């Protein structure tokens, strides 16, 4: 099959820090007032209790509105419970759908209104909180969680954005940019190929990870078709679904039901759902409910009194503080229980502290130990000692919390921030040893406790797409070589030990037209182009079949470093080739990655081999034999996989 069908950062080792991090006396006093019970609007059919932790304010009123968008009809003073340090009141009767806000009176004589930090339903643009009887939001046949997943190393994660997934005019999807668009069945592009959910089912991925789908601040929800674009890393209401993905953002309850419908539809298709969570910062500190209810508490500050800015977007939340940690735990367990979610990807996880991430893991284990947890463990310059950060340098302190492995990404393609740098796939020398080690789940680093912690990837939503990067580095290079290099990198990810992670559309050489961080670029840049699967059918078929091969071959999914060390050995890691041998029981496998620009004659032990991957073609049966050979000619920029059964 033709490969193309034309159609109309350096490693950082942390050093001990000499700077002291001392919490102010005010924060220490607030820690003594921490509350461990339920917060928010606590619904029963007979009455709803409102609990708010705001120990520094003078008074709090509950403002009740006539309906979602009408004026206030009642103001109810809340009472301070001196023992629990929370403000409380109750409203009698069935309050399902009741719209409310809090009015807070501060010690300086000012007052402000705020939504409930624990809002589970909100009005359009997240301006008001809404009481919800959650069982009434369940779609028809909403059942229990999926059965526990086997192991993280059995997962193939596919990272997507709800809006990008269906916005293309050629998607054949009616509910474009919506929760419901993700699960439309029977959709086709103009050439008759499957798109959307049917495409994902055929591709064979096990988990889809969605970019933020909680309520975020930077897209106006009032229009039927949003005029702005944003990925959503601008948190507004952490526990309510985003309204722009609903068919009616004005209905606070419908967005909950439709998100559940999407998750249910994916589960029915055998695909699990991972939620991208962004607890590391908020969009605007001054206007966020966390800061309006307890000013200054939830965010780290420097000794000079400025907001800490390790995130690079103006603020860092203080996960090490009791009530911020409680907030994160309450939020992830709510999403996992109520929406049956199967995993969480923590944005800028290095901002958080180790204790919090271990607490997240423990809390989710009580729901389902197979829930996947991983995140961006970059070492970020936040006001927290390095030894407390949930960074990849401290990964071994966080068992079963995964980390993106930059090692394999940079070995394959070079530093992500500069598209002209090179890696193993496009001509860089002396990357072979780094690639070989990272292919084995970074076994020599000692950073990780198990391969299931190692998220193996070469492309993600905020990187240059691999295709764009390769074209930028070599703009005059022939298309066949670009495709071969792309396939070589994707093959390395899918065959590596650890947890393979694919960016949506990577399998058909997705382009964002050279835009690296397209967080607010137009749909034209970000959408998935559903005709590219026709142009790059060879790569799509190869990825689909590699996923099948990975699922079929336990040697590609080893669960411990002891197994990897006992089973695998590096045969070669030099001269733009990396080769491995696997031996277990009566089975032997050879994998060779050839990044040379010419065919590579690779010497083998004399024997008859089963061909599993040759020149981008995967053989899922054991019927394709080499015959008796002592070498194999490997095409440029391709991977060879051979298998033998030993006597």
């Amino acid at each position: 099959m033709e490969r193309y069908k034309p159609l109309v950062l350096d490693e950082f080792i942390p050093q001990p820090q000499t700077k002291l991090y001392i919490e102010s006396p005010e924060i220490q006093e607030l820690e003594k007032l921490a509350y461990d019970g339920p917060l928010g609007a606590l619904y029963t059919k007979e009455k709803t209790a409102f609990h708010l932790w705001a120990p520094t304010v003078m008074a709090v009123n509950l403002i009740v509105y006539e309906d979602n968008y009408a004026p206030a009809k009642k103001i109810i003073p809340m009472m301070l419970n001196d023992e629990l340090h929370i403000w409380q009141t109750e409203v009698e009767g069935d309050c399902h759908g009741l719209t409310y806000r809090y009015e807070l009176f501060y010690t300086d004589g000012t007052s402000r209104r705020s939504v409930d930090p624990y809002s589970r339903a909100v009005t359009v643009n997240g301006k008001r909180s809404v009481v919800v009887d959650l069982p009434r939001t369940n779609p028809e046949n909403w059942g229990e969680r999926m059965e526990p997943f086997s192991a993280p190393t059995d997962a193939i994660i596919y990272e997507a954005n709800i809006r990008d997934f269906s916005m293309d005019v050629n998607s054949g999807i009616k509910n474009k940019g919506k929760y419901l668009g993700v699960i439309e069945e029977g959709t086709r592009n103009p050439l008759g190929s499957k798109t959307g959910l049917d495409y994902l089912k055929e591709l064979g991925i096990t988990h889809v990870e969605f970019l933020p789908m909680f309520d975020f601040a930077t897209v106006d929800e009032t229009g039927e078709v949003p005029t702005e674009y944003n990925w959503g890393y601008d948190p507004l209401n952490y526990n309510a679904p985003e309204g722009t993905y609903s068919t009616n953002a004005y209905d606070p309850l419908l967005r909950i039901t439709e998100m559940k419908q999407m998750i249910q539809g994916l589960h029915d298709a055998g695909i699990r759902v991972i939620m991208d969570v962004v607890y590391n910062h908020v969009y605007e500190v001054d206007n966020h409910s966390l800061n309006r209810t307890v000013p200054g508490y939830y965010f780290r500050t420097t000794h000079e009194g400025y907001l800490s800015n390790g995130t690079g977007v103006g603020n860092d939340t203080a996960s090490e503080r009791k009530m911020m940690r409680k907030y994160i735990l309450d939020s992830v367990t709510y999403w996992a229980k109520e929406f049956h979610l199967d995993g969480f990807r923590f944005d800028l996880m290095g901002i958080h502290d180790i204790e919090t991430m271990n607490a997240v893991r423990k809390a989710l284990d009580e729901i389902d130990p197979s829930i996947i947890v991983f995140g961006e463990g970059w070492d970020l310059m936040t006001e927290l000692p390095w030894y407390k950060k949930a960074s990849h340098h401290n990964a071994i302190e966080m068992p079963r919390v995964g980390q993106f492995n930059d090692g394999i990404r940079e070995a394959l393609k070079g530093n992500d921030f500069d598209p002209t740098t090179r890696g193993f796939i496009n001509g860089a020398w002396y990357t072979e040893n780094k690639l070989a080690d990272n292919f084995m789940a970074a076994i020599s680093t000692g950073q990780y406790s198990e391969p299931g912690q190692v998220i193996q990837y070469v492309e993600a939503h905020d990187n240059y797409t691999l295709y764009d990067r390769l074209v930028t580095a070599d703009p005059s290079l022939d298309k066949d070589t670009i495709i071969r290099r792309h396939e070589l990198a994707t093959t390395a990810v899918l065959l590596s030990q650890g947890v393979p992670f694919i960016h949506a559309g990577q399998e058909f050489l997705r382009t964002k037209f050279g835009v690296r961080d397209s967080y607010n670029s137009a749909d034209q840049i970000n959408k998935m182009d559903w005709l590219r699967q026709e142009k790059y059918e060879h790569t799509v078929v190869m990825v689909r079949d590699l996923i099948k091969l990975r699922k079929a071959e336990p040697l590609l999914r080893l669960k411990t470093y002891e197994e990897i060390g006992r089973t695998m050995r590096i045969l070669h890691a030099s001269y733009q080739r990396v080769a491995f041998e696997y031996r277990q029981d009566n089975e032997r496998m050879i994998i060779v990655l050839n990044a040379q620009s010419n065919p590579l004659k690779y010497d083998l032990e004399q024997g008859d081999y089963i061909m599993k991957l040759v020149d981008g073609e995967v053989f899922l049966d054991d019927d394709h034999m080499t015959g008796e050979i002592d070498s194999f000619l490997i095409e440029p920029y391709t991977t060879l996989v051979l298998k033998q059964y030993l006597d």
Side-chain angles (χ1 to χ4, degrees):
M1 183 185 298
E2 294 180 0
R3 279 185 161 78
Y4 176 72
K5 295 183 178 181
L7 296 175
V8 168
L9 293 153
D10 294 332
E11 286 297 315
F12 172 77
I13 300 175
Q15 300 296 321
Q17 295 180 1
T18 56
K19 181 178 179 180
L20 296 176
Y21 293 89
I22 302 172
E23 291 183 345
S24 68
E26 293 84 356
I27 297 299
Q28 293 180 27
E29 289 302 311
L30 285 175
E31 291 287 78
K32 297 176 184 177
L33 305 179
Y35 169 69
D36 195 34
L39 291 167
L42 311 176
Y43 172 88
T44 65
K45 191 172 183 179
E46 292 72 31
K47 63 183 179 182
T48 295
F50 295 85
H51 290 187
L52 176 69
W53 188 71
T56 62
V57 302
M58 300 295 293
V60 181
N61 288 335
L62 175 70
I63 302 173
V64 178
Y65 296 90
E66 292 181 8
D67 62 33
N68 293 338
Y69 305 102
K73 70 174 181 179
K74 188 183 296 185
I75 297 177
I76 304 171
M78 299 179 72
M79 301 298 294
L80 177 63
N81 185 319
D82 292 321
E83 181 180 349
L84 300 178
H85 314 297
I86 61 171
W87 295 88
Q88 296 174 296
T89 193
E90 293 181 349
V91 176
E92 298 293 327
D94 186 347
C95 295
H96 175 68
L98 179 144
T99 307
Y100 70 101
R101 295 180 87 193
Y102 296 121
E103 185 175 26
L104 301 110
F105 297 87
Y106 304 108
T107 55
D108 64 359
T110 62
S111 66
R112 297 188 79 178
R113 294 184 178 185
S114 174
V115 296
D116 191 335
Y118 276 75
S119 299
R120 293 176 172 180
V122 292
T123 59
V124 72
N125 284 333
K127 298 297 186 182
R128 295 178 181 177
S129 304
V130 178
V131 177
V132 56
D133 177 19
L134 287 163
R136 297 194 217 181
T137 67
N138 291 344
E140 188 177 352
N141 299 319
W142 182 251
E144 302 298 323
R145 298 186 57 81
M146 292 183 77
E147 289 297 313
F149 190 66
S150 52
T153 49
D154 294 335
I156 298 102
I157 299 172
Y158 191 83
E159 183 190 51
N161 176 280
I162 290 170
R163 180 165 165 174
D164 298 351
F165 191 69
S166 56
M167 285 303 291
D168 184 17
V169 67
N170 295 311
S171 70
I173 296 171
K174 295 178 181 178
N175 288 293
K176 288 181 169 54
K178 307 298 182 184
Y179 297 117
L180 297 183
V182 174
I183 57 170
E184 286 184 29
E185 295 183 282
T187 60
R188 300 291 185 270
N189 69 17
L191 298 179
S193 296
K194 294 176 182 178
T195 63
L197 179 63
D198 291 349
Y199 173 86
L200 287 187
K201 289 162 63 175
E202 190 172 77
L203 191 62
I205 52 104
T206 64
H207 293 68
V208 60
E209 176 236 305
F210 285 119
L211 271 60
M213 52 184 180
F214 55 78
D215 187 43
F216 52 83
T218 42
V219 177
D220 183 5
E221 298 177 351
T222 60
E224 186 174 344
V225 179
T227 56
E228 303 98 343
Y229 180 96
N230 204 284
W231 283 336
Y233 292 92
D234 302 306
L236 186 59
N237 294 292
Y238 281 108
N239 301 307
E242 166 59 20
T244 55
Y245 300 147
S246 172
T247 58
N248 182 4
Y250 284 88
D251 186 335
L253 308 180
L254 183 64
R255 63 175 73 182
I256 300 175
T257 299
E258 290 183 344
M259 182 190 280
K260 287 180 175 180
Q261 285 179 277
M262 179 189 73
I263 294 166
Q264 181 183 36
L266 286 161
H267 284 176
D268 289 345
I271 300 170
R272 295 166 192 260
V273 181
I274 296 171
M275 184 181 195
D276 192 336
V277 290
V278 190
Y279 299 115
N280 60 79
H281 74 279
V282 301
Y283 180 55
E284 292 179 329
V285 170
D286 288 345
N287 293 319
H288 197 274
S289 59
L290 289 175
N291 202 59
R292 287 194 174 190
T293 52
V294 193
Y297 173 78
Y298 289 100
F299 301 89
R300 294 182 190 134
T301 55
T302 66
H303 287 289
E304 294 78 22
Y306 298 104
L307 287 169
S308 176
N309 189 26
T311 60
V313 292
N315 63 91
D316 306 338
T317 57
S319 63
E320 71 280 7
R321 296 176 189 165
K322 292 179 181 179
M323 293 304 288
M324 187 64 211
R325 179 176 295 146
K326 170 181 167 56
Y327 188 82
I328 293 172
L329 293 173
D330 288 347
S331 182
V332 293
T333 53
Y334 166 68
W335 285 110
K337 290 177 181 177
E338 185 62 32
F339 290 81
H340 300 170
L341 287 170
D342 309 287
F344 295 90
R345 178 251 192 213
F346 276 74
D347 181 66
L348 299 186
M349 188 172 69
I351 290 292
H352 301 317
D353 66 293
I354 293 170
E355 186 177 346
T356 294
M357 292 311 304
N358 283 332
V360 166
R361 179 69 272 173
K362 182 179 178 182
L364 292 174
D365 282 349
E366 295 175 4
I367 300 168
D368 177 356
S370 74
I371 292 174
I372 290 177
V373 178
F374 65 97
E376 294 179 312
W378 322 143
D379 189 72
L380 302 164
M381 301 307 292
T382 187
E383 296 290 308
L384 192 69
W386 70 265
Y387 56 85
K388 290 187 177 182
K389 294 177 183 176
S391 74
H392 60 100
H393 302 296
N394 298 320
I396 202 163
E397 303 294 331
M398 297 173 283
R400 298 174 48 244
V401 174
Q403 304 267 352
F404 282 97
N405 180 22
D406 282 359
I408 196 168
R409 180 185 71 172
E410 295 192 359
L412 285 168
K413 70 175 185 179
N415 187 299
D416 184 65
F417 291 93
D418 182 357
T420 63
T421 60
R422 296 178 182 275
F424 174 78
I425 63 170
N426 62 340
W429 290 88
Y430 312 117
T431 59
E432 297 90 349
N433 285 313
K434 182 175 182 178
L435 174 58
D437 185 68
N438 282 282
F439 189 91
M440 298 171 70
I443 188 170
S444 73
T445 65
Q447 286 183 236
Y448 307 103
S449 58
E450 60 179 86
Q453 280 189 286
V454 184
I455 307 299
Q456 303 281 45
Y457 77 120
V458 72
E459 174 183 327
H461 69 274
D462 54 355
N463 299 175
Y464 290 104
T465 70
L466 183 55
Y467 175 82
D468 286 350
R469 185 187 177 89
L470 290 170
V471 170
T472 301
D474 292 289
S476 61
L477 193 62
D478 64 280
K479 188 172 287 291
D480 183 72
T481 301
I482 293 288
I483 298 169
R484 285 175 175 272
R485 288 175 169 181
H486 195 290
E487 290 182 350
L488 179 61
T490 300
T491 299
V493 167
L494 287 170
L495 295 178
S496 64
Q497 301 295 340
V499 184
F501 174 103
I502 307 168
H503 181 218
Q506 179 178 332
E507 71 281 6
F508 48 69
L509 286 75
R510 183 173 182 175
T511 180
K512 291 192 285 184
F513 305 97
V515 179
R516 179 182 182 272
D517 195 7
S518 59
Y519 72 97
N520 64 350
S521 297
D523 287 315
Q524 192 64 29
I525 300 293
N526 282 295
K527 70 178 183 181
M528 290 181 68
D529 180 351
W530 285 104
L531 285 180
R532 284 182 79 85
Q533 63 171 310
E534 311 292 345
K535 298 178 183 179
Y536 301 100
E537 182 184 8
H538 180 276
T539 312
V540 174
V541 171
M542 184 198 74
V543 169
R544 182 192 68 201
D545 289 346
L546 279 172
I547 289 172
K548 291 178 182 176
L549 181 65
R550 183 179 180 90
K551 290 178 178 179
E553 295 289 349
L555 287 176
L556 302 177
R557 300 175 282 112
L558 300 174
K559 294 177 172 55
T560 68
Y561 282 117
E562 188 277 329
E563 280 187 288
I564 293 174
R566 174 167 42 85
T567 304
M568 293 181 68
R569 71 184 180 104
I570 300 170
L571 297 176
H572 295 97
S574 61
Y575 297 103
Q576 298 176 311
R577 59 178 180 168
V578 176
F580 306 90
E581 179 188 48
Y582 302 65
R583 281 182 183 265
Q584 184 169 296
D585 300 327
N586 68 333
E587 190 173 334
R588 180 169 178 257
M589 185 178 289
I590 301 291
I591 295 180
V592 186
L593 291 81
N594 176 27
Q596 295 181 8
S597 59
N598 50 270
L600 168 66
K601 181 184 179 184
Y602 190 80
D603 292 334
L604 299 163
E605 291 181 17
Q606 182 81 27
D608 192 6
Y609 293 83
I610 303 166
M611 294 185 290
K612 305 304 293 183
L613 174 62
V614 177
D615 194 19
E617 184 174 2
V618 180
F619 303 102
L620 296 170
D621 54 44
D622 287 348
D623 299 335
H624 293 75
M625 308 299 295
T626 62
E628 197 73 13
I629 60 171
D630 61 6
S631 65
F632 198 102
L633 194 65
I634 307 172
E635 292 299 312
Y637 306 114
T638 65
T639 300
L640 173 70
V641 180
L642 300 176
K643 181 177 174 181
Q644 277 185 321
Y645 291 110
L646 305 174
D647 295 333

